[in-house]
Amino acid sequence: MLCALLCLSLFFAPQVGAQNKPAKAPSFGQDVMPVLFRAGCNAGPCHGAARGKDGFMLSLFGYDPAGDYYRIVEDMAGRRINTAVPEQSLLLRKAIGAVPHTGGKLFDDKSEYYATLRRWIAAGAPDDAADVPDTVGLEVSKSSFVFEGGAGKDALRVFALNSDGSKRDVTTLARYHSNNASVAKIDENGRITAGQAGDTNLFARFSRFSVGASVIVLPRADGFVWPNPPAANYIDTQVFDRLKKLRIAPSELCDDETFLRRITIDLAGRPPTVAEYRAFVADGGAAKRAAKIDELLADDRFADLWTAIWAEQLRVMGGNYAPDATHVKAADAFYEWIRRQLRTGRPLNEFVRDMVVASGSNLNNGPVNLYTMMTHSPKFTPKAFASDFSQVFLGVQLQCAECHNHPSDRWNMDDYYGFVSFFQGMKRKGGVESRETRIYYDTAAPPAINVRDDRPMPAKVLGAIEPVAQGGDPRRALAAWLTSPENDMFSRNLANRIWAQMMGRGIVNPVDDVRVTNPPANEPLLRELSKRLVQSRFDLRSLVRDICNSRTYQLSSRPEKSNARDKSQFSHAYLRRLRADVLIDSVVAVTGVPRNFNAFPEGTRAIDFYPRLTGETEGPKFGDNFFKTFGASSRASISSTEIKCAPTLSQTLHLSVGDTLNSRLSAGGKLPALVAAKATPEEIIEELFLLTLSRRPTTQELTDLRALVGTDTKKPQAYEDIFWALLNSTEFLFNH
Amino acid sequence: MKRFLFLVALSVPLLALTGTALAVGPTNIERTLPRTGQRGTTVEVIIQGAILQDPKEVIFFRPGIRAIGIEQLPDLKDRNGGPIQLALVGGAFMQQQMRCKFEIAPDCPLGEHPFRIRTATELTTLGTFHVSPFPCVDENETTPYTNDTLTTAVPVKPNLTVRGLMYGRGTRGDVDIYRVPAVAGQQLTVEVDSARIADNHYGDSEFDLAVRILDEAGRELAVNDDNPLNLQDPVASVKLPRDGVAYVEVKRSVYQQRDSQYCVHIGTFRRPMVAFPAGGQCGQKQVVRLLGDPLGEFTESLDVPTTPSGFDYFGNAPSPVTLRASSYPNVLENPQPGEPAATQLPAALNGIISGPDEVDRYRFAAKKGARLQFRVFAATVGSTIDAKIVLRSVPADGKPGKVILESDDAKPTDHDIFGTSFRSGAGLKEMMDPSVIWDCAEDGDYVLEVLDSSGVGGPLGVYRVEAAPPRDNLFFVLNSNVFDWCEATRTTGLAVPQGGSLMLTLFIMPGQGGRFPGEFDFVAHGLPKGVTLVPTRVRGGEAYWPVQFTASADAPPAGAVITLEARPVNPAIKVTAVCQQNLPFINHSGGDAWRTVRLDRFILAVTEPPPFSIEFQPPSIPLVRSGGLAIPVKIVRRPGFEGAVSLLPGWLAPGVTASVPLLLPAGKSEGELRLTGGPNAPLVTSPFAITGSTVRDDFSDYVGTGHIRVTSVPSLLTVAAPFVELTSTLLSIRRGERKKFVWAVRHNSPLPGPAQVRLLGLPTGVRIVEPLPVLTQGVAEIAFEIEATDDALLGRTGELNCAVVINAGGQEIEQRTGKGALRIDPKL
């Protein structure tokens, strides 16, 4: 302990730029609050809890200094602070464990923390005068660290930037966090210890700011040779640059069979047909992959698949007699509007802008259903909507800032309530028929009130200081800011989501948890994707085309020695279980036996499905048990975690013994015709492989399976078994 | 590897029924086939439903169609020859059918023509038929899904109306495609009547169709689902780009497994969506711009009707653009954005909200005490905006002052629409248009602002505000709120039997801003020969009042369209009476009318003599508050009629109830009808009569269809204050004791005779020792001898009162009075 205290005192440096000034009583905001923060007093599990702890409440991480001052000094006067005999102050005695304290001993009476608090109390526990500077920013001594060969130590120093221009070392007052402690640990004094090879980020938090530093722990260089793969485009340049820095070699390019299946599933939501397979394999052209990408992007199926993705995200559901403005007709109007935008290649920023500013009938103005479908509740709640809105369109989770400044991001309560005010005037009223609700903005609605101090917070975009112009519908200003090419929060969010859809993982992951403390795995890559998206005028196809044409997208899923443990740098293709809708559509496409969905006409594809219900539409709703089993979004929320692509036991059971596959094997689909049409068992087996896996069987597979067929080569039973096995194989269920 | 196979045998039940969707409501006209015909032609029509035996006459509300050659057809059978077992609400089955021909005059008004059918004994519920300007053909898709592709499209030539069926019993949605010759530059317009011709008790989205116009390659040239002009019924129009062919595709907006009828008008007609200005001054010519046509706007000079109302402009289209005739001049918006237009009221203010932030302003002067109605017509006339008005004062600096009132939407009654539940809109575009009354509190200048509350605006954002003192309108409504507000002949069927009489109740409601408080007399216009209206003077302020019609024995069986006038007792007062019925033709969940047919007159029919008549002696004594009155009733059966008869008052004055109908079973002809006066029943004399109804065991009397009803001769019923009031103090009695329970008597009015008094509400174990006291005129107190047994419940009871029963003139009147308390104590 003595050693630790010694170290502490070494790190506890005086204010930089504020030297040689006469000693003053510690400031409540600049000195006392940081001690409480550092000691964890105002953390969530302690007195920062919503109702405090053991009768004493502090604002979480100190978002409300005035309130904290009142509760420490003025509430129950004399109990917590004793200015006559500072050492007898309960605040100090609890902290050093002199009296029972649920939080235990936090520091001792020799520490600087103790000294700071004592001096402040001895000075009469003054509140800050108006000239006490505020912390306006945070800096770290070094923004990136590289450790060689899986070992090493270093240290991080943290500086607070004050409103008077001064700079202060707060290394001993900050709190630290590592996103991956197995790669790099950071202790309470900012000392870093490297661990296993990999990359991560470290964070320091002080006042309301968090600041990070990246860490790369390189594997040993023994035998590693950068393979120098050719870069097909800017994506590869950024990905490979990062991989090279990490000493991770990318996998090889995937073969044509794998590429065809991957791209067809990703862009069309179905496996390639046998004819498509044969044509593609037979094509010896150098540009055939690019041509295939263009062909699939031009097909309406691409737009239809993205319609399903957006509809899932925006919680499109409809119910006959739905009471909350979410009748099937409204859902359909929204769904078809989305489809039309995507089919016609509407720039994504315009697509979003139309939704944001929409007013009118839920039945005949599709985009207005952003305000019905994203809520599915009897009453429109601006707070809940604002949080969801920010999460969907910016990837930012604001909801923490409803009650306190965001603990791990830059957003404070003013940001939150200013953003809520954009939706304060959203109202609903009846239309001209039972199914109809009119959505409009009531310009007379007052702004949201900051619950901390009851201040009205006029509509203000995130990060801005001044509110938008008042009067009229503020959503227009919101839409203009949101969808502006200059707003990289928006374009980065879109780019990241598109990337995640194509690659199976976001550069920021999860895609809707963008925050300072969850930085992108490859910042230059995300920046470049965002820039290209903006340059293409927010053209979805353009960015998808870039991604698909990159070598990165076309890498094999087979890992190399150096990249086997990589899960975030896209050194190889990640295995992705097919989305629930794509899976059932693939089963239908392969077997030739349709699958019907409740309240939809026969022949409806799963990617054209959304839950059509009877009655209310508040989630969770799947509309079909298959979607529930295979992890489609329940549409109960807009969270990206609603969609689950992890395999489960119930999925295995469903496919092996349920009726999705079994009822389709012997039915009048493709199999009987195929058996009848082909001359030999080998041809039939090969055709089944092409249908399901888009590849020819290996010699061994063919030999083994031919043996199963036996002598009665036209008997369907054996082929049904083979078909069943192929459809149950991981190779079919995953895009690889 | 072991694999499990589950073989599922699927069977798809086939529905036996064919044809169109059925209402399954408490009506008796369920199908009219076809629903549409061309004007200037004669169309054979089959009408199917319940209780359609012996049809005599089809009576239309509007001129232009005459039904001839009426004949009854054999009952409907299912495929096995049995009766169609499709139950209608009320318990009957759709079984009967009739055939006739509709002669449609060449000048017959286009659109909807409601009608009723007079049978020998009945006036049916409402049916509708639609008139098209074009030749009408049937789709004739006898095998489903045979015209669902461009290659199987049905060839048609404009201008034509196709009567189609949106097939809904298959596993996929029906698509009907029509192939049309295309001429470059020519207009092709498509209009669909679907919701507008539907008749379904519980409907959802099966009537909601969408259309597309496609080019020869199937590329979309125009598409429409909903629109401000015809709501769910789509309209699409396009200037054709090339010679060759074009396709018209009709399908549902949302997949539904129900059949529904539609008509699609395919033609070269202009299709404006809204007119500007949307009206003119009564009796004058008004030049209007017709907006929204794909070939551009055009102007027309219209003759504005001479009376204030809505009126239609059809052009050569099958459905109209609606305009307003107002009794004051038009004022147009100031072309200078934001600047107010100088306005002299009363006036009709006209403008277009062409952009999201546009606010049109009208400045006018008003005096304290002035009363103005601001009634907006925007959505009503097909505008795309959701109009809102804001009234501001104008302070000395001339800038917009404080908001005095603002209004966005309206209740149906604000737009003079009464009589049906319209909880969710009911297809009433009027509900989007505000209408308010303003009482000016201060002399000064004011500005009326008009804007689009949805913040959109647009080139079709037309509005018209009628700003004028409100009129004194009285609306007479035959309420139909028997089952989810659907129609029932019990409450709306004015079938008066020869030599008989019928009383129905009118709902009387002043229009918005109406202040007419006074008495008036009903005057009927257009009654059939031999029918008279029983004269009654309507008390001022009454919301309900009976009308009773009597047909002489020799009145010829016939139907007629009638109207009722309100003639104030004070001849200096002018009141405009409006007859109205809104009958739901599509109900949504919970009796929420979606589409209604609105009528501005009633149909009355003389039918065959009734099988019975009703006799009763008019009450010689009043019904008293908190009292009962028993009225002996007798029916006189026509020879051969032995059926049961249900009797109820033809109308009940406010505060008077008749708890259950008096049912006279077969063979019985006499009984007592009991009335009860509420404690706060108004002390007035009102019309009174008794209506009897035949009783069926297959169709509820509640609905009324299939029943013959007849009303007694008219009489009067007086509600009076109680004759006496009895009071007592707390009485204590011990078990085993006998005591006198004394009640003081206060006389309010002379007793018509001696009254016997019963003590009610005694607790268990306490009995009255007879004789009961008799109350006569002038008695100051009465006493009951009561005895408490050893088992009497101990404690206090405070719910004792007295029944004073008086017999006078053969009628019994019972009055409840007093509130006494009794405490049972243990034995000493």
Side-chain angles (χ1 to χ4, degrees), chain B residues 200-264:
Chain B
N200 194 307
H201 187 57
Y202 275 114
D204 191 67
S205 298
E206 63 268 34
F207 322 102
D208 192 351
L209 305 189
V211 297
R212 293 197 300 162
I213 300 175
L214 310 171
D215 71 5
E216 66 284 351
R219 290 182 293 255
E220 203 172 88
L221 297 175
V223 60
N224 185 245
D225 182 357
D226 298 347
N227 58 81
L229 183 71
N230 293 331
L231 299 181
Q232 288 82 48
D233 286 351
V235 173
S237 186
V238 69
K239 184 178 177 181
L240 292 168
R242 285 176 293 282
D243 289 347
V245 296
Y247 296 92
V248 172
E249 175 197 84
V250 183
K251 64 177 182 180
R252 284 210 168 87
S253 300
V254 180
Y255 174 65
Q256 291 271 311
Q257 284 191 308
R258 277 182 173 183
D259 284 357
S260 59
Q261 294 180 78
Y262 71 88
C263 280
V264 56

Side-chain angles (χ1 to χ4, degrees), chain B residues 390-516:
Chain B
V390 178
L391 182 66
R392 295 177 186 272
S393 59
V394 180
D397 62 7
K399 293 178 180 170
K402 67 178 181 182
V403 174
I404 294 172
L405 67 81
E406 55 187 326
S407 183
D408 190 352
D409 298 327
K411 301 189 297 291
T413 51
D414 295 341
H415 278 278
D416 299 338
I417 301 166
F418 296 92
T420 297
S421 168
F422 295 107
R423 284 188 292 110
S424 303
L428 296 178
K429 295 188 279 191
E430 292 89 340
M431 289 174 70
M432 305 311 298
D433 293 340
S435 181
V436 291
I437 301 291
W438 174 57
D439 292 303
C440 180
E442 195 177 353
D443 288 4
D445 275 10
Y446 296 87
V447 165
L448 184 76
E449 297 178 341
V450 186
L451 57 144
D452 179 5
S453 72
S454 66
V456 177
L460 305 185
V462 170
Y463 66 86
R464 178 179 176 86
V465 185
E466 292 182 349
R471 293 149 52 103
D472 262 329
N473 289 343
L474 272 187
F475 288 81
F476 299 150
V477 179
L478 277 172
N479 261 355
S480 59
N481 55 337
V482 286
F483 183 86
D484 289 349
W485 296 84
C486 276
E487 190 188 6
T489 53
R490 182 174 69 80
T491 51
T492 64
L494 281 167
V496 187
Q498 287 173 315
S501 180
L502 183 71
M503 175 185 271
L504 288 181
T505 304
L506 279 182
F507 175 46
I508 303 170
M509 188 79 177
Q512 189 185 38
R515 285 175 155 176
F516 170 63

Side-chain angles (χ1 to χ4, degrees), chain B residues 204-361:
Chain B
D204 191 67
S205 298
E206 63 268 34
F207 322 102
D208 192 351
L209 305 189
V211 297
R212 293 197 300 162
I213 300 175
L214 310 171
D215 71 5
E216 66 284 351
R219 290 182 293 255
E220 203 172 88
L221 297 175
V223 60
N224 185 245
D225 182 357
D226 298 347
N227 58 81
L229 183 71
N230 293 331
L231 299 181
Q232 288 82 48
D233 286 351
V235 173
S237 186
V238 69
K239 184 178 177 181
L240 292 168
R242 285 176 293 282
D243 289 347
V245 296
Y247 296 92
V248 172
E249 175 197 84
V250 183
K251 64 177 182 180
R252 284 210 168 87
S253 300
V254 180
Y255 174 65
Q256 291 271 311
Q257 284 191 308
R258 277 182 173 183
D259 284 357
S260 59
Q261 294 180 78
Y262 71 88
C263 280
V264 56
H265 310 282
I266 301 170
T268 56
F269 51 90
R270 304 296 299 267
R271 185 58 278 174
M273 302 298 281
V274 64
F276 178 79
Q281 188 165 9
C282 292
Q284 298 193 358
K285 276 199 174 297
Q286 175 71 49
V287 175
V288 298
R289 294 161 55 199
L290 281 309
L291 310 175
D293 184 82
L295 269 63
E297 70 173 74
F298 57 98
T299 59
E300 287 276 5
S301 180
L302 306 179
D303 292 320
V304 181
T306 53
T307 55
S309 62
F311 69 99
D312 293 336
Y313 166 76
F314 279 85
N316 55 359
S319 65
V321 167
T322 302
L323 300 94
R324 291 285 304 172
S326 315
S327 49
Y328 25 78
N330 280 351
V331 170
L332 301 185
E333 63 177 309
N334 189 330
Q336 195 69 28
E339 289 298 313
T343 307
Q344 186 76 40
L345 298 185
L349 320 176
N350 297 275
I352 299 175
I353 302 296
S354 52
D357 296 321
E358 185 171 321
V359 179
D360 285 356
R361 296 184 168 88

Side-chain angles (χ1 to χ4, degrees), chain A residues 538-610:
Chain A
F538 289 92
D539 181 31
L540 169 67
R541 286 175 178 80
S542 174
L543 191 64
V544 170
R545 182 180 293 108
D546 287 352
I547 294 170
C548 295
N549 277 310
S550 72
R551 185 178 180 88
T552 303
Y553 174 81
Q554 297 182 17
L555 292 175
S556 169
S557 60
R558 191 158 307 181
E560 302 290 331
K561 180 185 169 193
S562 66
N563 71 28
R565 289 174 54 204
D566 167 45
K567 292 177 183 170
S568 61
Q569 296 295 342
F570 313 102
S571 59
H572 57 279
Y574 302 142
L575 294 181
R576 291 171 282 149
R577 210 214 63 224
L578 303 188
R579 284 170 53 94
D581 47 6
V582 172
L583 176 57
I584 191 67
D585 277 351
S586 298
V587 169
V588 169
V590 166
T591 61
V593 182
R595 166 74 151 76
N596 293 333
F597 300 100
N598 180 47
F600 281 85
E602 184 182 286
T604 299
R605 299 171 305 184
I607 60 166
D608 294 331
F609 170 90
Y610 60 85

Side-chain angles (χ1 to χ4, degrees), chain A residues 320-321 327-329 332 340 357 359-360 363-364 429-436 438-444 472-473 475-476 596 599-603 610 612 656-659 662-663 665-666 716-717 720-721 724-725, chain B residues 1-7 171-173 202-205 208-209 220 223 225-227 231-232 253-256 356-357 385-386 388 406 408-409 424-429 431-432 453-456 587-589 592-594:
Chain A
N320 287 323
Y321 301 119
H327 190 277
V328 172
K329 165 111 174 171
D332 220 58
R340 190 171 285 257
V357 300
S359 295
L363 301 186
N364 53 44
K429 63 179 185 176
V432 298
E433 55 134 306
S434 305
R435 305 171 301 173
E436 187 179 38
R438 299 284 181 109
I439 311 296
Y440 68 104
Y441 196 93
D442 178 3
T443 54
D473 183 346
R475 294 179 301 157
R476 285 184 223 145
N596 293 333
F600 281 85
E602 184 182 286
Y610 60 85
R612 286 182 177 173
S656 56
V657 299
D659 63 357
N662 287 316
S663 67
L665 299 180
S666 55
Q717 182 68 39
E720 289 174 12
D721 286 347
W724 179 88
Chain B
M1 190 188 300
K2 184 86 174 172
R3 179 159 67 84
F4 304 93
L5 284 175
F6 295 93
L7 298 174
T171 53
R172 60 189 167 100
Y202 275 114
D204 191 67
S205 298
D208 192 351
L209 305 189
E220 203 172 88
V223 60
D225 182 357
D226 298 347
N227 58 81
L231 299 181
Q232 288 82 48
S253 300
V254 180
Y255 174 65
Q256 291 271 311
D357 296 321
I385 64 167
D386 181 2
K388 177 180 178 178
E406 55 187 326
D408 190 352
D409 298 327
S424 303
L428 296 178
K429 295 188 279 191
M431 289 174 70
M432 305 311 298
S453 72
S454 66
V456 177
N587 261 336
H588 202 54
S589 175
D592 190 5
W594 176 348

Side-chain angles (χ1 to χ4, degrees), chain B residues 444-662:
Chain B
D445 275 10
Y446 296 87
V447 165
L448 184 76
E449 297 178 341
V450 186
L451 57 144
D452 179 5
S453 72
S454 66
V456 177
L460 305 185
V462 170
Y463 66 86
R464 178 179 176 86
V465 185
E466 292 182 349
R471 293 149 52 103
D472 262 329
N473 289 343
L474 272 187
F475 288 81
F476 299 150
V477 179
L478 277 172
N479 261 355
S480 59
N481 55 337
V482 286
F483 183 86
D484 289 349
W485 296 84
C486 276
E487 190 188 6
T489 53
R490 182 174 69 80
T491 51
T492 64
L494 281 167
V496 187
Q498 287 173 315
S501 180
L502 183 71
M503 175 185 271
L504 288 181
T505 304
L506 279 182
F507 175 46
I508 303 170
M509 188 79 177
Q512 189 185 38
R515 285 175 155 176
F516 170 63
E519 295 178 306
F520 67 88
D521 296 317
F522 280 128
V523 177
H525 300 284
L527 291 175
K529 187 179 174 189
V531 177
T532 54
L533 170 66
V534 175
T536 56
R537 176 152 294 179
V538 183
R539 278 195 300 271
E542 291 287 356
Y544 295 90
W545 201 259
V547 284
Q548 186 168 1
F549 297 94
T550 300
S552 62
D554 60 352
V561 177
I562 69 163
T563 56
L564 293 171
E565 177 193 342
R567 193 165 292 172
V569 173
N570 179 353
I573 299 175
K574 297 296 176 200
V575 173
T576 303
V578 182
C579 299
Q580 193 171 94
Q581 267 184 287
N582 282 280
L583 299 173
F585 265 50
I586 304 175
N587 261 336
H588 202 54
S589 175
D592 190 5
W594 176 348
R595 178 181 101 88
T596 57
V597 177
R598 190 178 311 162
L599 306 169
D600 61 358
R601 58 204 74 188
F602 309 130
I603 284 179
L604 184 147
V606 177
T607 53
E608 288 182 351
F612 63 91
S613 60
I614 302 168
E615 292 180 353
F616 76 101
Q617 188 174 350
S620 58
I621 51 176
L623 171 66
V624 293
R625 283 176 171 169
S626 299
L629 177 65
I631 302 175
V633 188
K634 178 182 173 186
I635 59 168
V636 179
R637 296 173 181 274
R638 208 169 64 190
F641 174 68
E642 296 298 332
V645 173
S646 171
L647 295 156
L648 269 175
W651 178 72
L652 286 165
V656 178
T657 55
S659 54
V660 289
L662 168 62

